[in-house]
Amino acid sequence: MEYQQIRSASYWHNPDRDAFKVPMHTLALPADWEAPIRRLYQHGMTPQQAERRQLIPTKSINQLMRALAPDLLSVDHNATFGTDQPWLYAASPYPTRIINSFVGAWLRDLQQKPEDPESASLLHKTFRLLDASGLTWQPANVDLLEQTTSAGGTSLPASHLYRLLPDVLAARIAAQPAYEHNGKTLQFRQVAGDAKVGGAELMSWPPRTYQSNNKDDDGKKTWYYSAYIRLSLRTVPFSPVPRIHLSTGIRRFVRGQVWMPTEGGVSVYLLPDESLIPDGPTPHRFSVAMMEWNRGTTDWRHGGPQGMLLGVSALDQLPPVDRLVKEADRWIDGPNDDNIAVAVSHHAAMGYHAIGTGLMPSERRRLTEWAEQALAPDFLPVPLLTRSRYSKPAKKQLEKRRSIPKKELPEEKLAAILAENEAISGRNALRRRKHLAEAIDGLPFVAVVLYQTEGMRNRIIQAAERGLDLVSHRVEDGPETWTWRTEEIEVKVHALPIGELAAPLGGDSPPAKGGEHNQQITSRRHAVAAFIKKLKVKMPGAQVAFVELDGKERFAKSKRRADPKYAIRLGLADAGLVSQFFRPLDPDMEPDEAEADAVFRAEAAWLDGLRQTGMRFVPLHSLGDSIPENLNQLAFWLVKRRSDGPTNRAQFTPIAVLLRPGQKCIMGKTADMSEWVPYPQLLRSLTSHISKAELKTAAQQSAATAAFVKKTLSAMRGSPTLVLVRAQNIRYRWPWLLNRGLVQDRIGFDSGPLQRIGLIGKQLRFIRVADSERDETAEWWAPAELLSEKHEGKQRGGIAKGLWVAQDSYHVFYSSADRASTHPVSSEMAKLTSHVNDKGYSEFKPTKNAWNPELLELVVACMQPGDDPEKWAMFVHQQRLCDDYRDVLGLPLALHLAKLADHYALPQEEVETITDTSSEESPSEQLMLDIEPIDHS
């Protein structure tokens, strides 16, 4: 029995209530401040730089207030001037004397060259020109439902509401009685918000604790964690009603010493007994400050010796950084003698933490339903999503093995199941051999295995034999070369120790950032390419390399730049090979578990390697002739890499991936290619791309994206084609794909006018996919009581796979997956409070990682006359159900393949290649790609 409905943690305004206004106080930057502040900010810039930087950033002052005045709400990360655009909001006026001190610190921070005497003189002049009395708080009755509507019928909330509305609702949640379950309670406090990210957040306090035994059993360690609740204002294409999305999760805190990343910073949550600013009001929320590593020392961001914190006399109120990084949990039980509680946020790059990530559906449901009580009566849950009426499953190309019951079976029944499974495996392997042979056009499949341990080498060989059923076809049996010949294909594997090619870059000392790191990458790249060049004399036609390499754990923290993976991949690409990496046997696991894990990883690596050759089982839909038989699937993707990435080079490369009917090999292309090329050639080519100087600005990138898309679509005009894009990847370089830009059955390019889809192609369809990144789609669960009355009132949540239909939309659908095979965790598992399941067993397991499938939003943006949008949405949902993958894909297959191309975005200075199969671009000016903002449509 399947769930027929699911519930999302999404809320809209109660239509029975006419308005939602709250009294607040606002403060605006005076209009006559704009010119002198802009002169100060742009002083020392070239005319070209000044032209590009018209907006005056408020990031630094927003961060300062987030650390010292958390009850203030800044609604923009760029300065706005004039009373029509308030800058700050507060429940009650904040002392303007302190605001003035913040502004003074901000102006000093805006200087490009503070040591320049001319700049210092301009700063003093600016101070004199700004009338401090101009900053005055004004009472206002703020309309929290203020909005307009786009040409496509999409709600466009006023921009300041992305901060204000969630914040007001978060305050309601914080004010209600504590969350309680099974006799345990959690109290939540608001957290200072981030103007750039938007939304609002609450965190439970005091933190939960968990004690674990040391490995040597010589004591216990105490680990700290809290729950968080996050509220976000979001819109849905073609809907005039905005939503509030409520998400929940776990925040883990550092115990002991803090590992400081060399880029970015570490968030620190502060809860003082009194203001951190002399004579300031006591805050009601958590402050959030940042520690950062800078030139060999750790300091508060915007701290001393001349920083903003020092400028407002707040530095002495904070714990000493040099001690905090050594004893992160020293202040976590506060307030104490220092009158402050301090918790340092743990993130995955810091390494191990005993507490697992995430919440499972039942606990997520309990916490969400507790929080949503505070939203009523102004906001109500969006109606349940209903299963699509087109629920016939996709056609299978590989047979599913029979499961073996846990209970004991008679020997003959067990033997029959095992024999049947063996036969199923053989038939599946035959189908894989045929697909592989077609993908590589009947050539021998030649693979290289570069191993560190013979055990993992043998597991890869065994994975090859099991995956393709080659045991009885072996004609060469090592010790370096294994060969199998079948009627469909010849398979060769050449295995050699990888030796020093897998050694850390820099040896015992990781290379320094910049030139030294790049030199180490180049040196290892050349060494790998030269090694493969010699090997290819023995193994001509090699297509893929399987490389045994230590995992991220060995290269964590300060050793990150010692990781040779990227250099190895570059060298293999230079030699004409795609690459798949796998880790050695895990020595920290129990022997039986470690062996099962290693076998699983070897089999997964082997299959992933086959897929990189372009072999795929494209899902066969169940929608009959509603979908054209000869349909092309075309996915556009922007391959982007920041200049602070693995190779210290930037990249911006629009690509397209094509699933063409009748062609077994996946095809792809970039703007530099005149023809479609096999998928592995596309992947290898991406290691050669460095962003060109003419692709430096957002406008240039948008124009290049539009040109590539229009040229590609023009060549497809005569064929039925479904275009797929991921919203978060491409919309900020293709603005039509923003929620506010979408108009049904109209398409736009760059800044040009919208056109009817029929003018671009009478057989063209377009579907935009959005995932849960930045809470764009809501969290969800399947209410267990819908399957069984015994769960009524127990707040149990389940997981369901399917396509879901919203009551208010004919063109927006939602796709969900079922439970991942790699996360066999009960939906009842709890971390925040004790919990007992129906059988009386404890489900309190804070050390386990939790996982919930995300909702994919499928926007059927452009169709042809007579099309049924729901059928096309079901087609895209079924493209996530690939037989040769263990689990449902995170994106439809064509987009999944395009996203995987990011692994090959490793731009580096031009080097001499071993083969002529990939084109190299000349090195050009570095480009720092912006982190894409949220679609505040």
Side-chain angles (χ1 to χ4, degrees):
M1 185 176 179
E2 290 185 317
Y3 287 103
Q4 296 304 306
Q5 293 176 309
I6 61 172
R7 162 79 197 281
S8 65
S10 181
Y11 307 84
W12 57 19
H13 184 249
N14 184 347
D16 295 333
R17 297 179 70 84
D18 294 333
F20 188 27
K21 296 183 178 181
V22 296
M24 302 189 81
H25 287 78
T26 67
L27 185 146
L29 291 171
D32 58 3
W33 284 24
E34 182 171 6
I37 291 178
R38 175 168 283 109
R39 281 196 297 271
L40 175 68
Y41 173 57
Q42 294 181 342
H43 178 73
M45 295 182 184
T46 66
Q48 294 80 6
Q49 290 172 329
E51 180 64 28
R52 289 198 302 266
R53 300 182 185 180
Q54 290 296 310
L55 297 176
I56 304 170
T58 55
K59 178 180 178 180
S60 61
I61 191 172
N62 286 341
Q63 289 180 336
L64 182 69
M65 293 186 294
R66 195 179 183 213
L68 303 181
D71 296 325
L72 289 175
L73 274 74
S74 174
V75 296
D76 204 341
H77 55 279
N78 290 306
T80 55
F81 298 86
T83 55
D84 292 339
Q85 295 178 298
W87 168 46
L88 296 180
Y89 289 77
S92 58
Y94 198 86
T96 53
R97 174 188 60 81
I98 298 177
I99 298 291
N100 278 321
S101 70
F102 291 160
V103 171
W106 172 50
L107 295 180
R108 294 185 185 93
D109 190 71
L110 284 178
Q111 293 177 279
Q112 303 298 310
K113 298 178 180 180
E115 69 285 352
D116 178 24
E118 188 176 344
S119 179
S121 175
L122 182 58
L123 175 65
H124 290 299
K125 182 179 179 181
T126 305
F127 281 143
R128 291 195 301 271
L129 289 173
L130 303 186
D131 181 5
S133 63
L135 292 176
T136 56
W137 288 97
Q138 301 293 330
N141 201 27
V142 181
D143 180 5
L144 295 179
L145 301 178
E146 180 185 352
Q147 70 168 47
T148 57
T149 305
S150 76
T154 301
S155 166
L156 300 177
S159 60
H160 58 281
L161 297 186
Y162 285 90
R163 281 283 286 121
L164 290 183
L165 178 54
D167 192 84
V168 168
L169 297 176
R172 288 186 177 188
I173 295 173
Q176 68 179 1
Y179 167 78
E180 181 176 0
H181 180 69
N182 212 16
K184 302 292 183 181
T185 61
L186 293 178
Q187 191 70 53
F188 283 81
R189 279 182 174 267
Q190 281 185 269
V191 176
D194 186 328
K196 186 169 185 178
V197 174
E201 188 175 298
L202 304 102
M203 189 168 73
S204 66
W205 200 260
R208 295 295 325 259
T209 60
Y210 173 79
Q211 288 192 325
S212 65
N213 291 320
N214 290 340
K215 287 184 178 181
D216 298 330
D217 203 25
D218 57 353
K220 292 183 178 294
K221 293 181 179 179
T222 301
W223 304 86
Y224 300 88
Y225 65 105
S226 289
Y228 69 77
I229 300 172
R230 194 164 53 228
L231 296 96
S232 307
L233 175 60
R234 296 289 179 261
T235 62
V236 174
F238 315 129
S239 172
V241 184
R243 270 73 159 167
I244 291 291
H245 288 174
L246 195 157
S247 59
T248 58
I250 295 293
R251 174 160 290 116
R252 303 176 295 176
F253 301 114
V254 177
R255 60 170 305 282
Q257 188 168 354
V258 182
W259 172 73
M260 294 298 300
T262 54
E263 294 93 19
V266 175
S267 297
V268 182
Y269 294 85
L270 310 167
L271 189 61
D273 268 357
E274 56 188 27
S275 175
L276 296 173
I277 313 164
D279 302 321
T282 301
H284 298 93
R285 311 179 183 202
F286 276 100
S287 297
V288 183
M290 297 290 290
M291 293 189 301
E292 64 181 359
W293 178 265
N294 185 18
R295 298 179 182 178
T297 61
T298 302
D299 205 345
W300 293 108
R301 181 171 289 175
H302 305 301
Q306 300 296 325
M308 298 174 72
L309 291 170
L310 183 63
V312 296
S313 304
L315 200 58
D316 291 342
Q317 312 301 317
L318 297 173
V321 172
D322 57 348
R323 188 173 177 188
L324 183 59
V325 296
K326 295 177 182 177
E327 303 174 81
D329 48 347
R330 160 71 174 76
W331 288 267
I332 203 168
D333 292 324
N336 44 39
D337 294 341
D338 297 297
N339 298 316
I340 189 171
V342 180
V344 181
S345 181
H346 173 94
H347 55 77
M350 292 180 175
Y352 174 76
H353 198 289
I355 304 302
T357 58
L359 299 174
M360 288 303 283
S362 291
E363 188 166 44
R364 186 184 302 279
R365 176 181 181 177
R366 291 192 294 270
L367 184 56
T368 300
E369 290 183 344
W370 168 81
E372 73 183 22
Q373 297 175 68
L375 278 54
D378 294 288
F379 281 80
L380 303 175
V382 169
L384 297 178
L385 300 173
T386 303
R387 186 177 291 278
S388 170
R389 63 186 186 273
Y390 304 119
S391 55
K392 184 179 178 180
K395 301 175 184 177
K396 293 289 186 183
Q397 299 176 77
L398 296 177
E399 300 175 58
K400 187 176 181 180
R401 290 164 59 92
R402 285 189 57 185
S403 59
I404 300 176
K406 293 182 179 179
K407 64 180 181 180
E408 262 191 63
L409 292 175
E411 287 188 14
E412 61 274 13
K413 285 191 175 182
L414 178 59
I417 292 176
L418 293 175
E420 184 177 351
N421 282 342
E422 192 69 22
I424 290 172
S425 295
R427 292 193 293 271
N428 286 341
L430 175 60
R431 295 180 182 110
R432 283 197 186 93
R433 294 202 302 264
K434 289 181 177 179
H435 273 67
L436 178 60
E438 291 169 339
I440 60 177
D441 200 24
L443 296 171
F445 177 73
V446 183
V448 176
V449 176
L450 302 177
Y451 63 90
Q452 296 189 53
T453 61
E454 290 188 359
M456 288 307 298
R457 177 204 65 185
N458 294 340
R459 294 181 187 97
I460 288 287
I461 299 299
Q462 292 160 9
E465 292 192 324
R466 283 193 295 269
L468 298 176
D469 192 20
L470 299 174
V471 175
S472 60
H473 302 282
R474 187 186 290 187
V475 295
E476 191 173 3
D477 190 15
E480 289 187 351
T481 303
W482 285 257
T483 305
W484 302 266
R485 291 194 185 95
T486 73
E487 183 180 340
E488 301 78 26
I489 193 171
E490 178 178 338
V491 177
K492 282 180 173 288
V493 172
H494 195 69
L496 286 173
I498 191 170
E500 289 301 310
L501 295 178
L505 299 181
D508 295 333
S509 301
K513 180 182 178 181
E516 183 181 345
H517 185 214
N518 197 53
Q519 188 278 326
Q520 289 285 336
I521 291 174
T522 301
S523 176
R524 185 66 55 84
R525 175 180 185 172
H526 281 303
V528 171
F531 178 83
I532 297 298
K533 181 181 180 181
K534 293 180 180 178
L535 184 60
K536 275 187 145 185
V537 175
K538 299 180 184 178
M539 294 285 288
Q543 296 126 321
V544 59
F546 297 89
V547 183
E548 182 180 0
L549 192 67
D550 294 307
K552 292 182 179 179
E553 298 80 6
R554 183 181 180 190
F555 303 106
K557 301 182 179 180
S558 61
K559 297 180 180 179
R560 184 171 62 89
R561 283 192 297 275
D563 190 346
K565 178 178 180 180
Y566 309 108
I568 294 171
R569 174 160 276 162
L570 284 164
L572 292 169
D574 292 341
L577 274 63
V578 291
S579 47
Q580 181 63 41
F581 294 83
F582 59 96
R583 290 186 289 111
L585 187 81
D586 191 337
D588 294 328
M589 297 177 70
E590 293 295 325
D592 289 347
E593 292 182 8
E595 177 60 26
D597 175 69
V599 169
F600 169 79
R601 286 188 285 102
E603 291 178 347
W606 175 257
L607 290 177
D608 281 339
L610 297 187
R611 295 181 187 115
Q612 287 195 48
T613 67
M615 184 205 78
R616 282 300 185 282
F617 286 84
V618 178
L620 303 176
H621 66 84
S622 60
L623 298 161
D625 57 8
S626 300
I627 306 299
E629 183 178 356
N630 57 339
L631 179 71
N632 294 305
Q633 293 186 60
L634 176 63
F636 289 106
W637 192 267
L638 300 184
V639 176
K640 297 174 284 186
R641 183 74 74 176
R642 291 166 57 98
S643 61
D644 57 358
T647 62
N648 304 310
R649 296 292 184 273
Q651 182 170 351
F652 178 86
T653 308
I655 69 168
V657 169
L658 177 64
L659 306 185
R660 180 180 280 157
Q663 185 164 22
K664 296 301 181 180
C665 182
I666 309 302
M667 306 298 285
K669 68 182 302 187
T670 68
D672 297 332
M673 296 175 177
S674 58
E675 301 290 340
W676 293 98
V677 300
Y679 184 65
Q681 187 175 337
L682 170 71
L683 297 180
R684 295 194 306 268
S685 75
L686 293 173
T687 64
S688 308
H689 282 251
I690 297 176
S691 285
K692 302 175 183 178
E694 62 268 23
L695 292 179
K696 189 173 184 180
T697 68
Q700 291 168 338
Q701 293 172 7
S702 295
T705 301
F708 176 60
V709 170
K710 286 192 286 188
K711 181 179 179 181
T712 305
L713 292 182
S714 176
M716 311 288 289
R717 288 182 66 92
S719 305
T721 301
L722 173 63
V723 179
L724 296 166
V725 293
R726 176 179 177 259
Q728 289 98 329
N729 168 261
I730 201 171
R731 64 187 170 203
Y732 286 97
R733 298 299 180 263
W734 192 353
W736 167 65
L737 290 166
L738 293 164
N739 285 1
R740 64 174 175 266
L742 290 172
V743 176
Q744 190 63 53
D745 298 333
R746 299 289 190 275
I747 188 170
F749 300 101
D750 205 7
S751 57
L754 297 184
Q755 306 173 60
R756 287 187 296 107
I757 190 64
L759 296 177
I760 307 300
K762 295 188 180 298
Q763 300 188 73
L764 181 68
R765 282 93 173 173
F766 206 109
I767 293 182
R768 192 196 78 171
V769 180
D771 54 35
S772 63
E773 184 178 296
R774 300 191 183 183
D775 299 330
E776 186 149 340
T777 59
E779 292 180 344
W780 65 281
W781 62 87
E785 62 270 22
L786 297 181
L787 285 189
S788 174
E789 292 182 358
K790 71 178 182 179
H791 295 301
E792 191 68 43
K794 294 184 178 180
Q795 294 181 296
R796 302 292 167 85
I799 295 173
K801 176 178 69 176
L803 180 73
W804 309 94
V805 181
Q807 292 185 13
D808 66 319
S809 176
Y810 184 58
H811 289 90
V812 180
F813 304 87
Y814 296 91
S815 170
S816 69
D818 49 14
R819 190 186 309 275
S821 61
T822 53
H823 289 78
V825 180
S826 166
S827 295
E828 293 294 296
M829 188 191 78
K831 295 181 179 179
L832 303 178
T833 67
S834 59
H835 179 70
V836 177
N837 62 25
D838 291 339
K839 296 181 179 180
Y841 297 117
S842 172
E843 291 280 7
F844 183 65
K845 300 172 183 177
T847 61
K848 296 291 186 181
N849 287 326
W851 182 83
N852 289 257
E854 63 181 348
L855 277 184
L856 286 192
E857 179 188 77
L858 309 180
V859 178
V860 184
C862 294
M863 290 283 105
Q864 296 295 331
D867 284 345
D868 181 347
E870 188 174 339
K871 285 187 175 180
W872 281 92
M874 174 56 79
F875 174 82
V876 173
H877 168 72
Q878 291 185 351
Q879 290 301 305
R880 301 179 65 192
L881 314 177
C882 295
D883 285 3
D884 59 330
Y885 285 88
R886 184 182 294 260
D887 295 310
V888 178
L889 296 178
L891 293 169
L893 178 59
L895 280 174
H896 172 77
L897 295 171
K899 183 179 181 180
L900 290 179
D902 283 339
H903 296 312
Y904 285 81
L906 298 169
Q908 207 199 18
E909 298 290 359
E910 186 174 10
V911 298
E912 182 183 356
T913 56
I914 301 304
T915 69
D916 60 358
T917 58
S918 60
S919 60
E920 296 284 349
E921 293 291 344
S922 298
S924 58
E925 185 175 354
Q926 287 189 13
L927 167 70
M928 177 69 78
L929 293 169
D930 292 331
I931 296 175
E932 306 294 14
I934 293 173
D935 183 5
H936 285 177
S937 297

